Amino acid sequence: MSFPIYFAHRLLSSIPLLLGVSILLYAVLHLAPGGPLDVYADNPSVSPEALKNLERELGLDQPVPIQYLHWLKALVQGEWGYSIRSGRPVTLDISERIGPTLILGGTAFVLALLVALPLGILSALRRYSTVDYTFTFLSFLGISMPIFWLALMLQALFAVRLHLLPSAGLETIGDGSLPDRLRHLILPACILAVANIASWGRFVRSSMLDVLGLDYIRTARAKGLSERMVTYRHALRNALVPVVTVIALDFAGILSGAVVTETIFAWPGMGRLFIEAMNGRDYPTLMALLMIGSLALILTNILTDLVYSLIDPRIRYE
């Protein structure tokens, strides 16, 4: 089966899954206490009649199943609805935020990949050495350290004390040049990459150690192949097959929006939009963001299969 046919088959088979996910997410959002109109209910200048009219205009007076069917019908027609918080089309709000998220997430992903792979391989090749113990300690530290605390500490150090990097935002007001944007990108991208570097590096190390102990690796060495060829042509290629799955799942999470990182650094991306929508109980925006995240996870799983076949030609689409 060719990959385009396989891709279309997987995409069509994921429709029932997305439908089930949408039902579950819609129900959970509406089961939470409170609602979008709570902010107006505490305002004494807003009369109960005005609240009723607003509730009717937004369709919140109807039963939740009916609201879901209206939302699903609009979704099929390509309409994401209007944001309760801003009053603008949801697609417009998301289109303004998806670019910064792709920039931040893509930079963090590449940075984590460039650091985690070499460190994981080096740690496996020098097992139980000082390098291995140091990497293991730093990995556990990176995995266990709260991201929000590390972000605040780096802000205090590089932005407040040393004045080397800006503390927040996408760009300096009145500037917006490429160097200025790059300076704003450094801190959030590094913070977002830390946890992935730690987890991916440990996984690469574990996978490499499993492969290096197999019989065909010993056979390759016995044939007189160089250690470099044994490591990178034979061991690494097979060790990357399970690693790809972990990286793909994390990549989907990064693209869905780094909620904590974007909030701390005031980065105008989808993660920060999610927090704003959640605080305002903006159901249309929340559903759109959650469905985009679900779709991104499904697409990355499908594309992961393509990467599998590139790494190991023995893998075929079925």
Side-chain angles (χ1 to χ4, degrees):
M1 182 185 298
S2 64
F3 182 75
I5 297 177
Y6 173 80
F7 181 83
H9 174 73
R10 285 285 301 272
L11 203 58
L12 289 174
S13 64
S14 65
I15 293 178
L17 176 61
L18 284 173
L19 182 62
V21 169
S22 68
I23 294 174
L24 181 62
L25 292 175
Y26 205 90
V28 170
L29 286 178
H30 285 76
L31 284 174
L37 302 183
D38 284 358
V39 64
Y40 301 106
D42 297 332
N43 191 339
S45 62
V46 180
S47 64
E49 292 77 13
L51 279 177
K52 287 291 184 182
N53 292 334
L54 185 57
E55 186 180 32
R56 191 180 306 109
E57 290 178 5
L58 296 175
L60 299 176
D61 59 329
Q62 299 178 351
V64 174
I66 301 301
Q67 294 183 43
Y68 171 78
L69 291 177
H70 287 319
W71 173 84
L72 184 62
K73 180 181 177 181
L75 178 66
V76 173
Q77 296 174 349
E79 294 290 338
W80 291 91
Y82 288 83
S83 169
I84 297 177
R85 180 179 53 87
S86 66
R88 305 196 310 166
V90 172
T91 52
L92 182 59
D93 284 343
I94 293 179
S95 64
E96 293 177 353
R97 303 295 188 99
I98 194 170
T101 290
L102 290 175
I103 294 173
L104 176 60
T107 304
F109 177 80
V110 172
L111 178 61
L113 206 59
L114 292 177
V115 176
L117 286 180
L119 287 180
I121 296 170
L122 182 63
S123 181
L125 294 177
R126 300 187 179 180
R127 188 180 185 185
Y128 302 138
S129 65
T130 304
V131 173
D132 186 27
Y133 286 129
T134 303
F135 175 68
T136 300
F137 171 76
L138 293 177
S139 296
F140 286 139
L141 187 64
I143 293 173
S144 60
M145 186 180 301
I147 293 298
F148 70 89
W149 180 85
L150 180 60
L152 293 174
M153 292 301 100
L154 292 185
Q155 275 183 331
L157 176 62
F158 290 101
V160 178
R161 183 176 295 274
L162 300 179
H163 303 285
L164 295 176
L165 296 171
S167 60
L170 177 66
E171 61 185 21
T172 302
I173 298 177
D175 191 341
S177 62
L178 181 59
D180 177 67
R181 290 198 169 198
L182 289 176
R183 292 180 67 249
H184 282 78
L185 180 63
I186 292 175
L187 276 181
C190 290
I191 291 298
L192 193 56
V194 164
N196 289 327
I197 290 174
S199 61
W200 295 356
R202 291 294 300 170
F203 204 84
V204 170
R205 177 189 181 276
S206 176
S207 185
M208 280 290 294
L209 287 176
D210 290 340
V211 173
L212 289 172
L214 296 179
D215 291 339
Y216 76 91
I217 295 296
R218 288 192 288 268
T219 302
R221 285 172 175 158
K223 288 181 178 180
L225 296 179
S226 65
E227 191 64 26
R228 182 182 181 88
M229 181 173 290
V230 171
T231 300
Y232 294 101
R233 185 170 182 177
H234 295 277
L236 180 59
R237 191 165 188 173
N238 290 280
L240 283 180
V241 173
V243 173
V244 166
T245 304
V246 177
I247 293 177
L249 294 176
D250 289 340
F251 180 63
I254 291 175
L255 291 185
S256 299
V259 175
V260 175
T261 305
E262 290 187 359
T263 302
I264 292 176
F265 288 98
W267 190 266
M270 294 174 63
R272 189 179 175 196
L273 178 62
F274 180 83
I275 292 295
E276 295 171 354
M278 187 169 60
N279 290 335
R281 295 298 175 87
D282 191 349
Y283 294 151
T285 303
L286 285 173
M287 282 301 300
L289 292 172
L290 291 171
M291 291 305 296
I292 289 174
S294 302
L295 182 60
L297 185 60
I298 290 175
L299 290 178
T300 51
N301 278 325
I302 297 175
L303 293 177
T304 299
D305 294 339
L306 173 61
V307 179
Y308 283 160
S309 67
L310 295 177
I311 296 175
D312 191 345
R314 295 172 299 176
I315 299 177
R316 294 291 182 264
Y317 310 116
E318 297 180 358

